[in-house]
Amino acid sequence: SDTPPYSYAGAKFSSATLAPEMFHELKPGEAEALKAYWQGAGEELRSKVAPMVSVAGKQFVVKSFLSPAGKPVREGLPYELEEAAEEVDLWSLGALAFLLLAGEPLVSSTRDDDCASGDAAEFLYRWEDTRKLKRLKNIADAAANDLVGELLQREPSTRQRVAKLLKDHPFFHPESGDA
């Protein structure tokens, strides 16, 4: 059902901070269907939701949607919508923590925190441990590195909850003298 309290992630977004499950790789024919879906939207929105093309020629989009009168329009979308959930927010928190602790964005991004290229979108879509380990090398502090790693988990259900991190994680509870 699309009536409250159900809501979906992706109505508004900054794609460079989105979790992997928020991206969709377009299959043949889906780009045309998606263009038709968004044709009545304004130019700025159409530009924001347009497919991002990687160097390999793959097309990626954010699982976004139209919602006139607050109800999502699903007909014409080539993907299922993602329910708004703490797990999506936990990833975004991890991406923002990475930015603050590493001094650079998790992926190449615009000043609006959107993916700067199709390659950035593909990097997030195909996120896996080897990609995570490569990026986390940019956070030197072991506790900070582990904290971000707990949030940037591929599988949404394995992302650590904020309450648990605040209660137990060494980043928030350094040994005396380490602070």
Side-chain angles (χ1 to χ4, degrees), residues 14 21-23 35 37-38 40 44-45 64 85 93 95-97 102 105-106 116 123-124 132 146 167 173 176:
S14 296
E21 63 270 19
M22 290 300 303
F23 290 89
K35 185 176 180 181
Y37 176 88
W38 291 104
E44 185 177 354
L45 179 55
S64 191
L93 177 61
L96 293 172
L106 184 61
F123 188 84
L124 292 171
K132 179 173 76 172
D146 186 72
K167 180 181 175 206
H173 302 282
S176 69

Side-chain angles (χ1 to χ4, degrees), residues 29-138:
E30 289 181 344
E32 294 78 19
L34 206 55
K35 185 176 180 181
Y37 176 88
W38 291 104
Q39 93 180 33
E43 176 60 34
E44 185 177 354
L45 179 55
R46 284 195 321 269
S47 175
K48 185 166 178 76
V49 298
M52 297 170 272
V53 182
S54 71
V55 171
K58 306 282 187 181
Q59 297 183 70
F60 299 90
V61 294
V62 170
K63 293 180 180 176
S64 191
F65 56 93
L66 293 168
S67 58
K71 184 175 181 180
V73 177
R74 294 174 180 212
E75 187 176 333
L77 289 174
Y79 45 77
E80 292 296 318
L81 298 180
E82 293 291 328
E83 285 193 32
E86 182 180 6
E87 291 83 2
V88 175
D89 294 339
L90 290 168
W91 177 280
S92 295
L93 177 61
L96 293 172
F98 181 91
L99 172 65
L100 293 171
L101 294 164
E104 64 186 39
L106 184 61
V107 297
S108 176
S109 58
T110 67
R111 69 183 189 146
D112 295 323
D113 291 323
D114 284 319
C115 291
S117 68
D119 289 333
E122 182 173 18
F123 188 84
L124 292 171
Y125 175 76
R126 301 197 191 290
W127 187 262
E128 58 193 33
D129 283 344
T130 55
R131 290 172 188 260
K132 179 173 76 172
L133 292 174
K134 179 180 177 186
R135 293 303 289 143
L136 289 182
K137 286 181 182 176
N138 294 343

